[in-house]
Every structure is written in C-alpha cells, then in structure tokens.
Amino acid sequence: MKQILVKYSKEQAFDELFKDVILAAGEENVKHVLFHIYSATSEEQPLKELSVLLKERFPEAEVAGTVSAGEICDAKLMTPGILVSAMFFEKADIRVVKYKEVKGNETAVGKQICDEAAGIDDIKAIELIMTGTEFRTRLIFEELSKCREDVQIFGGYAGGHSMDHGEHYIFDENGLTNNKIFAIFYAGKEFHIDVDKSVGWQRLGHHFTVTKADESRMIEINNRPAVEVYEKYLQIDRNDNFAENTFEFPLIASVQEDELLRHTIAVEEDGTLDLAGYVTEGMHIYLCFGNPSLIVSKVNERIEQVRKFRPEAILLYSCSVRKSFWEDFVDMEMLPFGELATTAGFHTWGEVKRNPVTRNVLEYNITLLSIAMREGEPRGEMHPPLRINDSVLRGQASLIKRLSTLVAATTTELQNAYNDLEKMNAQLSYLSRYDALTGIYNRRKIESVVEKRVEETAEKGTRISLFMIDIDYFKNVNDTYGHAVGDSVLVELSKIFKDAFQKFPGGNVGRWGGEEFFALIPNCGNAEAVKFAEDLRKQVEAYSFKGIKGPLTISIGLVTATGQEDRKALFKEVDDCLYFAKQNGRNQVSSLTN
C-alpha cells in the first residue's frame, strides 16, 4: 500500500493537482482507494464539490471527510486549508459505511457497526470519523466494545480551528452533516495495523471521586460542587476566564487501569463542569499538567514501536489541546513519524481508541493517536532508531522536569498535610499565569491582559500601544554559548522589559514564545510609544549580558490603537510591524498608528 497527499486548491486544475493520484489509481495492482479529507473550512459548497469530483474521477473510491482543528501533512501542521490523503491498497478490503440519525439512537448505531464488522471476513480494524461532541458517545462505545476482541478500533472527532465555538461536521459528496458516523472497515489476511496512544500529562496530588455526573457534565466531586477542585486547589475563579485558566490543568480520570484526560469547556452557575468527554459516577479524578519531558518520552516510546512495525502509511490523530500546548513547537512530536512513512492526519476534538487489555472502546482527550499500516511482510531495511529533536525545550523543560519530580516526591506528604498542599497549589496557580523560566506573564496570560486593556481603551475613548519584541539572531547565542547562557539572557532581558513597561500605569509584558515578547502601555499615544521603544532598544544594545561577547539587539513592532479594531487583525498588525523591522535590517522599531 501507499499514501499520497494533496494540498487542495480550487484555483488549480484538478488533474494537475491529482496527477500522482491518477497515476497511482491506474496501476494494475490497486484493489481499493480510500480518500480522507481533512478541512480547516466548514463551508459546505467547496467541500461537497471536492467530494463529488473525487467520486466522479475515482468512482470506485471511498471518501470520508472531516472538519479539523489542524491539518497534518507530511507529519507537520500545514497552513490551514484542505488536505486530501489518498490511500492505495493492493490486497486489503476497504469499506466505508455511513450511519445516519445517530442522535438519540446511539446504542442502536453502535450495535449496527458491531454487526457490520461481524459479517466481514478477516476484519482487522474500524476507524470512526464522527462529530463525537454531538452524541452520547459512551452508549456507542459500550456496544463497540462487544466487537471481536482482535479488532482494533480508533478514530477522531470533527471540530474546527476555533476553540470558542464548535464546527463539528463530517462530509462527503452529499454535503456536511453533524448527525452521522463514517465507519471505515479495514480487512484482509495480509493487512496489518498497529494503533496506540501517547499522552504525557502528569498527575498532581491525591485523587477525588466523581459523586454526581451526567455524561459530559461533572456535577459533584467528593459530594461538593465540581468547580471547587479548581477554586480550592488552584485558586481559579469561576467568573474569571475559567476555561482559559484551567486549560493548562486538565483532569485525568482513572478507569480500569487506563487514564482518560478531560479538559474543561465551561462552568455552570451551580458549579457543574462541562467537560470534553464523558465521566461517570465513581470515577477517580486527578488534577494534572503537561510535562514536556514526560510527553517527549512517551512519544519516543511510540516512535520506536512504529519503527519496528515498519509501516507503509501512518495516520496521526492528535488532540487540538496538544496543538495549543506546544504552540510553535507543535511539529516536534510528529516529525519522526514522517521519516518512517508518509504521514497525514488532523487535530481533533477528541480521540477514540480500544484498550488492548480490557478491549473497551474509550474516548480520550489531549492524546496523540498514531496509526501505522502496511500490507504483507515488511519491505526493505528497518529505519535506524529515531528520537524527537527536543533541543528547543531543554532549558525550560529541565526546569519543569525538576518541578515534576518535586510534585511526585511530595504527593504522599501533601495528602496528609493540608498546609503543604496549599503551598504547592500556590506554585501551580503561579505556573498557570507566569512563564516558568523568566517569571513574567506567559502567552496565555499576557494575551488575556491585552484583550481586557484593549476593551477598556475602546470604552474610554483613549489609545493603547502594543509592542512585539524579538531578540535579533538569538539562535546564534544558543549555538555559540549554549542553551544555559541563552536561558540566562532571556531571564535578564525579561527583567529589563518588566522594569521598563511597569513604569507606566497598567503597562505589562509577557513572554510570547521562544525569544519573542508581547507588551502593552495603556493611555499611550504613538509618539510617546515610539520614543519609549527607541529608548528601550538603545538600552538593550548598550547592556552587557553575562556570558556573551559584544552587544545584543532587539527588533520591535509597535501599533497604537483605539480599541475599536478587530482583535485578531490587531495582533496581526503588531506581528507585521515586527516582521517589517526584522526584514529591514533588525535592531529597529517599526510602528503603525490606527
């Protein structure tokens, strides 16, 4: 078998875009063709047109499409668009069955899928493309768990790029729907598939027990309103951007020696938590956090398994929360898979996998599913061992690793000593707002502060200046002096920036990511902001940083706004100004006033 990927564009001729697919489909040894379509857009017309074109051009092919939170092409997150994966099978039997009217009929649909699988000779796997957030998925999975034990079951939930509102649609030549499930059946004596998950989120403290729940609504923990687990232990206010502030501290549900991650979507007035994924009464729940070193370790273990499997094609279904967690480093954990075989997939709103021990089909979150496929015995030589290149994380990850060790070592003590637990919770609350390396606001927090200040600016009719700052040629610092010196430079610069911006009432700065910083000064006009930025630039250039020779410079993008602008457009304008400064020689300020 083989997999060919096409980044679809309506502007290009179909036959030109799909020339490799057309050639492959015409080969004599091709028995079945399966098209997966992963789309950043939920506009029905172009998706329906593409599906119809594929069916007309390849009438025997199967088509299953989903709206996605991120399209994975060649093991990398591609620019939002439409990705088509064409899989060609020489011997396997592939069948896509589309189940409609799922809502309210979850148990019956689960049974239908199970019955269909029972009638297929040499069935090996069932893939589910579905709008899981729309259904009582637990009922579907209870039935699917009754499938023959050696059948692997996996899949992903549809959902768009925006986390603010769901675009939960799957599609084919008949258009968009949120009330169907596409079940893809893989069968054949010589078809081999290996499915597993990677997580890496680490437990915090002792467990709590779910004492009242209704599907994805967790009503009570330890007979108290569920929200108190965040209010008491992390001091997160239910009325202050609750979903955003709890994002970095999801929950782990312990189920039959398996772990199901659940992140909060919203909090109801009575303290009920609305979760991404179901919970049941009696579940043990833990707070947890993403430990980069543990995540990398878990994915490396999986990469080694896939390497030994020797795949011909790979699918990656990765939770959108992982994409947000890694931010600029999202490709890091996926790239090694692409060295083993052509790799495609999407970022999901939930993942589905059958537990290999209990044989139960379960719904996961914050999980990376890797699906390796091949036909027949492995061909060619095995690829040399691979590991994730996590060099970009070493400075910060080592700090978090030490914190993780501290948490693990004191868990028993924390269970018996409430005061110690309160101290640890203060540290965790700090980490939810501040960058672990530099001690200034992290990206999530500074973005929240900017949003609030811009809104206040619009209400007051004043002006606000926004700054994006980039350290010029920072990679050279790490390459020349090492990451320890690079981390030291980031800490020193953060203090300079913090002292400078906090001289202004309401002024603040946060680490945007890597060597980029974002800052704001309310009630500040463009002329004053430009002068301040130039002074700051000169101050940095004149400063002697420990461990490096010669000056270090910064580039600054600056936008002065009224607060009436579109928020996304405003952030882009600041980024564009920074880009202009960097492209025109660096060590300068580029400004724009609205």
Side-chain angles (χ1 to χ4, degrees):
M1 67 171 295
K2 63 182 173 182
Q3 181 176 209
I4 297 174
L5 308 182
V6 178
K7 295 180 181 179
Y8 179 70
S9 170
K10 194 176 178 181
E11 307 304 317
Q12 290 182 258
F14 182 90
D15 280 8
E16 179 62 26
L17 267 177
F18 286 86
K19 60 182 179 181
D20 292 338
V21 176
I22 293 168
L23 288 172
E27 294 176 3
E28 292 184 1
N29 60 346
V30 172
K31 184 177 182 181
H32 286 286
V33 180
L34 170 63
F35 289 107
H36 286 89
I37 309 175
Y38 308 109
S39 172
T41 179
S42 59
E43 293 182 28
E44 183 170 46
Q45 193 59 32
L47 298 178
K48 184 176 180 179
E49 287 177 359
L50 172 59
S51 301
V52 169
L53 281 170
L54 290 173
K55 289 296 289 185
E56 288 178 348
R57 194 69 175 79
F58 310 97
E60 301 300 321
E62 301 279 11
V63 177
T66 178
V67 172
S68 91
E71 301 73 56
I72 300 170
C73 179
D74 290 325
K76 299 185 291 292
L77 180 67
M78 68 180 242
T79 302
I82 300 174
L83 173 66
V84 179
S85 158
M87 285 184 162
F88 301 88
F89 300 87
E90 300 174 10
K91 301 174 183 178
D93 290 309
I94 308 300
R95 185 185 309 174
V96 178
V97 181
K98 299 170 182 180
Y99 299 87
K100 59 184 180 180
E101 303 301 329
V102 178
K103 295 177 187 176
N105 300 298
E106 288 88 348
T107 296
V109 169
K111 188 176 186 304
Q112 290 172 24
I113 298 172
C114 200
D115 289 345
E116 182 77 29
I120 299 176
D121 293 337
D122 299 312
I123 177 74
K124 295 293 180 64
I126 306 170
E127 177 183 357
L128 304 173
I129 301 294
M130 58 194 294
T131 56
T133 53
E134 308 293 312
F135 309 139
R136 292 178 296 169
T137 53
R138 178 178 56 84
L139 302 179
I140 300 171
F141 299 154
E142 284 177 355
E143 292 301 316
L144 289 178
S145 299
K146 300 173 185 177
C147 282
R148 204 176 70 202
E149 289 191 353
D150 60 346
V151 176
Q152 299 200 56
I153 300 173
F154 67 94
Y157 290 176
H161 281 243
S162 172
M163 297 297 286
D164 297 330
H165 60 280
E167 295 175 319
H168 306 295
Y169 298 103
I170 59 177
F171 59 89
D172 58 10
E173 65 272 18
N174 296 310
L176 295 175
T177 177
N178 63 0
N179 199 14
K180 283 185 181 180
I181 290 177
F182 296 163
I184 306 172
F185 298 89
Y186 297 85
K189 289 182 179 180
E190 297 190 55
F191 177 75
H192 302 275
I193 184 168
D194 183 273
V195 182
D196 210 344
K197 63 182 176 71
S198 308
V199 188
W201 264 247
Q202 186 165 325
R203 294 181 181 185
L204 291 169
H206 62 80
H207 76 261
F208 307 89
T209 302
V210 179
T211 50
K212 189 174 182 181
D214 177 20
E215 298 298 337
S216 62
R217 298 174 66 244
M218 189 162 66
I219 302 168
E220 291 182 359
I221 293 180
N222 293 355
N223 298 306
R224 299 291 301 167
V227 70
E228 290 186 9
V229 72
Y230 286 108
E231 291 181 328
K232 180 178 180 179
Y233 294 99
L234 292 177
Q235 299 179 0
I236 295 176
D237 188 341
R238 72 179 76 183
N239 299 313
D240 182 21
N241 296 321
F242 184 80
E244 178 181 324
N245 290 331
T246 59
F247 173 83
E248 293 175 337
F249 299 98
L251 302 168
I252 287 182
S254 180
V255 180
Q256 296 179 339
E257 300 184 1
D258 202 349
E259 292 184 334
L260 313 181
L261 273 78
R262 300 287 185 257
H263 65 89
T264 57
I265 297 174
V267 58
E268 299 178 18
E269 190 173 342
D270 64 355
T272 294
L273 296 180
D274 295 334
L275 305 176
Y278 64 82
V279 290
T280 56
E281 292 174 10
M283 274 185 175
H284 286 172
I285 294 284
Y286 298 81
L287 286 165
C288 66
F289 71 102
N291 179 342
S293 61
L294 182 59
I295 296 170
V296 168
S297 173
K298 293 296 183 183
V299 179
N300 275 334
E301 290 176 9
R302 178 56 183 157
I303 290 167
E304 179 61 12
Q305 293 171 351
V306 174
R307 183 183 76 90
K308 291 179 179 178
F309 178 81
R310 298 165 72 177
E312 294 176 313
I314 297 174
L315 296 177
L316 294 181
Y317 291 171
S318 180
C319 184
S320 57
V321 174
R322 292 180 82 95
K323 184 181 78 167
S324 299
F325 174 84
W326 284 125
E327 294 183 329
D328 294 340
F329 307 131
V330 64
D331 293 341
M332 182 181 65
E333 66 176 1
M334 301 188 294
L335 282 170
F337 291 98
E339 294 191 40
L340 298 174
T342 302
T343 301
F346 74 114
H347 287 281
T348 73
W349 279 59
E351 303 78 57
V352 180
K353 182 183 174 294
R354 192 173 200 178
N355 184 296
V357 178
T358 66
R359 311 313 298 167
N360 290 329
V361 178
L362 298 170
E363 173 184 327
Y364 297 87
N365 294 120
I366 320 180
T367 296
L368 172 65
L369 282 187
S370 47
I371 303 101
M373 303 181 190
R374 75 163 192 269
E375 290 185 291
E377 294 303 312
R379 303 173 187 175
E381 296 183 1
M382 185 184 298
H383 196 286
L386 288 167
R387 294 184 66 81
I388 293 171
N389 178 8
D390 61 345
S391 58
V392 293
L393 300 177
R394 284 176 189 158
Q396 189 165 355
S398 63
L399 179 64
I400 295 175
K401 183 178 180 180
R402 288 192 287 272
L403 176 62
S404 305
T405 303
L406 173 65
V407 172
T410 58
T411 293
T412 302
E413 188 177 334
L414 293 174
Q415 290 175 337
N416 300 316
Y418 181 80
N419 288 339
D420 288 348
L421 181 59
E422 289 292 276
K423 291 177 184 177
M424 185 58 64
N425 288 335
Q427 293 181 36
L428 296 174
S429 178
Y430 177 90
L431 284 175
S432 71
R433 302 188 304 276
Y434 294 92
D435 179 66
L437 175 66
T438 63
I440 62 175
Y441 280 152
N442 60 24
R443 177 170 181 163
R444 188 169 302 282
K445 181 61 179 178
I446 192 64
E447 194 168 358
S448 173
V449 170
V450 170
E451 290 277 358
K452 184 177 180 180
R453 297 302 184 202
V454 169
E455 185 176 333
E456 291 173 354
T457 298
E459 292 172 355
K460 294 176 182 177
T462 56
R463 300 181 79 76
I464 186 171
S465 290
L466 305 176
F467 306 76
M468 185 171 279
I469 308 169
D470 183 82
I471 307 173
D472 295 332
Y473 304 109
F474 184 70
K475 184 177 183 299
N476 292 344
V477 174
N478 283 328
D479 291 346
T480 304
Y481 303 103
H483 287 276
V485 172
D487 287 350
S488 174
V489 168
L490 289 171
V491 171
E492 288 183 81
L493 261 179
S494 296
K495 186 178 186 307
I496 293 172
F497 293 160
K498 183 178 179 180
D499 291 345
F501 282 98
Q502 288 190 344
K503 289 179 181 178
F504 296 83
N508 221 316
V509 64
R511 189 177 177 192
W512 197 249
E515 64 268 26
E516 287 189 335
F517 299 79
F518 202 101
L520 71 152
I521 302 178
N523 303 309
C524 181
N526 186 254
E528 182 183 6
V530 169
K531 183 181 184 306
F532 166 80
E534 284 289 352
D535 290 343
L536 180 62
R537 181 188 65 77
K538 293 174 183 177
Q539 179 185 353
V540 171
E541 188 175 15
Y543 186 87
S544 296
F545 289 91
K546 296 176 184 177
I548 68 173
K549 297 178 181 179
L552 193 69
T553 63
I554 57 175
S555 299
I556 303 176
L558 162 62
V559 170
T560 301
T562 64
Q564 304 290 342
E565 299 85 353
D566 176 80
R567 299 294 186 267
K568 290 184 179 179
L570 193 55
F571 279 106
K572 185 177 185 305
E573 285 180 351
V574 184
D575 188 64
D576 288 345
C577 283
L578 174 61
Y579 180 81
F580 183 88
K582 291 164 65 176
Q583 290 297 304
N584 285 271
R586 292 182 170 83
N587 191 23
Q588 60 182 270
V589 177
S590 173
S591 69
L592 173 69
T593 183
N594 291 327

